[in-house]
Amino acid sequence: ERIPRVTSDLDTSKVAGDFKLWQRQNPDAAIAVAAIKALTNVIEASKAHTMMELQMDLKVAVESLKAMDRSSISLAAGCELFSRYVTRTSLDITDFDSCRKRLIARGKVFAESSMESRH
């Protein structure tokens, strides 16, 4: 029996648009913060019902962000940092809805505190 492949129906143009918009609105912000903000939006908009589906959406989003500027170490680092945080949180909080809420809240707090620390 064949195992169904997990895929993502994520709109990568929206991810890129969120990233660019946040950068325009916050020109002094680090590029990694814009990436984390865009990835937090992915979690909010995701139609995932499981952690595996959500991680697939994030993987697609991370790849699309990194493709925007392959030379940016800051962008790649921000994406990887957030991806690892998602994995770790999913191990600590096994209830999907609770985990999702925590990820969204922490993503927003991280972006806000990063902005405050730059001023």
Side-chain angles (χ1 to χ4, degrees):
E1 184 176 323
R2 191 169 170 208
I3 298 172
R5 186 167 177 226
V6 177
T7 59
S8 174
D9 60 355
L10 182 70
D11 179 0
T12 56
S13 64
K14 179 163 178 12
V15 176
D18 288 348
F19 175 77
K20 289 176 184 175
L21 176 65
W22 206 82
Q23 275 191 302
R24 274 195 307 276
Q25 292 173 341
N26 304 280
D28 296 333
I31 194 168
V33 176
I36 290 169
K37 187 75 173 157
L39 294 173
T40 300
N41 288 349
V42 167
I43 294 172
E44 283 186 295
S46 175
K47 293 176 176 53
H49 297 289
T50 66
M51 203 60 216
M52 182 175 259
E53 291 171 343
L54 182 60
Q55 286 178 320
M56 182 58 70
D57 282 348
L58 284 170
K59 182 178 179 184
V60 170
V62 163
E63 291 306 316
S64 72
L65 286 174
K66 288 162 113 181
M68 292 174 66
D69 184 356
R70 296 217 181 269
S71 66
S72 175
I73 294 170
S74 178
L75 176 58
C79 288
E80 291 306 316
L81 178 70
F82 193 74
S83 295
R84 288 181 186 181
Y85 174 70
V86 168
T87 299
R88 183 166 176 226
T89 302
S90 71
L91 297 174
D92 292 342
I93 304 172
T94 55
D95 176 67
F96 178 69
D97 289 329
S98 298
C99 182
R100 184 183 192 144
K101 287 176 186 168
R102 168 77 58 88
L103 292 169
I104 292 166
R106 291 279 170 91
K108 289 178 179 180
V109 166
F110 177 82
E112 289 168 14
S113 63
S114 295
M115 286 299 296
E116 289 171 9
S117 70
R118 291 183 72 89
H119 293 287

